[in-house]
Each structure stands twice: as C-alpha cells, then as structure tokens.
Amino acid sequence: LFYTMITAQQIQEILSCPPVAHPQRNIDQLSTDSRKLSGGATCLFFAIKSEKNDGHNYLEELYSKGVRNFVVSEKREFPGSETCNFFQVNDAVLALQNLAAAHRKKYNLPTIAITGSNGKTIVKEWLWQLLGNDFNAVRSPKSYNSQVGVPLSVWKIAENHNLAIFEAGISKPGEMVKLEE
C-alpha cells in the first residue's frame, strides 16, 4: 500500500495557520467522520460545522480513540488536549480543500472529472473498469462527490497511480469552482 505521509509542520504551512504544538508529528490519514475513524495518532480530523452537527463536539471522544491532530475553527480544551495539534482555521471544509489541492499539485497525472445531475458514480465505475488494464487509476470511493468527498478522494492519490477518476457534485452555486481547484 502507498500512503501519503506529511508532517504537522507541512500542514500548518499549507493551511497558513498558527504553529502547532507538535510540528514533527506524521499524518497519513484524513477524517471528517468520527464514526469512521482509522489511524489514531496519524489521523487528522477536520471538525466541520454543518446545519445539523458540529465536529468540535467529538474532539474529546476522538482523543480517547488516539487522535492527536485536529483542524478546528474554535479550540476546545479537554483533559489531554495539550498533547494534541490544533490547526486553527476559519473554515475546516476550505482547509480540507486547500490541503487536497496542495497534495494534488505534487502529482502530474491525467485526471478525469465527472459531473452532472445523475449517473456520476456509475460512469466513474465504468471508466475505472474499462481503463483498469491500461492504467493504475485512483478513483473516488463510493459516491464521494461533495465539497468534503472530493478532497478526501484526491488525498488518495499516491506515487503508484497514473490516472485519476473523480466525480464532483454541487448543491449550491459557486461550489464547482472550489472543487475544480
């Protein structure tokens, strides 16, 4: 398996946020869902605020599961928080997109982006199957086509890939510009 490994300091520089407590800590996984956590200490959790929920409410629970790196728009103290890196940003979703964009720039590989009202996932899967004999392609898992799903998909690009196939969906005007970047 190929993993993207990045230091906390590199992330801090990409996100242009204040310095973190443990800059040499390695990170190889990104997460936005506390229920689907893997990686523990090498995971970077994005505390996203939405109309229905707030990722900041799960920081202490994630800490108990071994997570020590958090992208936050508001810092919350809890027992043990001094052992954590808090990447302070204004918008966690934008930070996720910026980190994925910086990751994407490291690779020079053809990219197919699929968008539209219907059929994005099935077309992506068909292309992946059709091109599978000629390319080692990375693709969006499931239907990861949202403002959060696209950057999580882009993060999966690794040295062994020579093609990327991503789907991109929008729900509001102006969102495609962010995904394009």
Side-chain angles (χ1 to χ4, degrees), residues 49-160:
K49 289 184 178 185
S50 68
E51 293 176 15
K52 297 179 182 178
N53 209 346
D54 184 348
H56 294 84
N57 295 335
Y58 303 96
L59 299 182
E60 192 168 356
E61 174 189 335
L62 290 166
Y63 174 82
S64 72
K65 294 179 179 179
V67 178
R68 298 295 184 266
N69 304 288
F70 303 95
V71 174
V72 297
S73 57
E74 58 186 59
K75 189 167 180 190
R76 299 208 180 156
E77 300 286 330
F78 51 85
S81 62
E82 69 279 356
T83 66
C84 298
N85 283 326
F86 291 97
F87 300 88
Q88 186 78 41
V89 298
N90 291 328
D91 181 339
V93 173
L94 183 59
L96 175 61
Q97 293 168 342
N98 289 339
L99 185 59
H103 177 68
R104 171 65 180 98
K105 288 177 184 170
K106 295 187 311 188
Y107 300 94
N108 182 23
L109 73 162
T111 301
I112 300 169
I114 303 157
T115 189
S117 301
N118 295 313
K120 293 180 291 296
T121 303
I122 194 72
V123 169
K124 175 201 64 185
E125 293 300 321
W126 283 342
L127 284 171
W128 184 75
Q129 289 177 358
L130 289 168
L131 298 170
N133 289 334
D134 299 317
F135 295 92
N136 185 12
V138 60
R139 72 186 192 277
S140 306
K142 303 177 187 176
S143 58
Y144 276 38
N145 61 30
S146 67
Q147 296 294 301
V148 170
V150 171
L152 291 175
S153 299
V154 169
W155 185 257
K156 295 186 176 299
I157 298 172
E159 292 291 332
N160 63 322

Side-chain angles (χ1 to χ4, degrees), residues 6-27 69 85 87 99:
I6 188 169
T7 66
Q9 182 173 346
Q10 290 170 312
I11 292 171
Q12 178 263 317
E13 291 167 2
I14 291 167
L15 300 182
S16 299
C17 60
V20 293
H22 308 280
Q24 296 311 311
R25 190 172 285 160
N26 288 321
I27 295 166
N69 304 288
N85 283 326
F87 300 88
L99 185 59

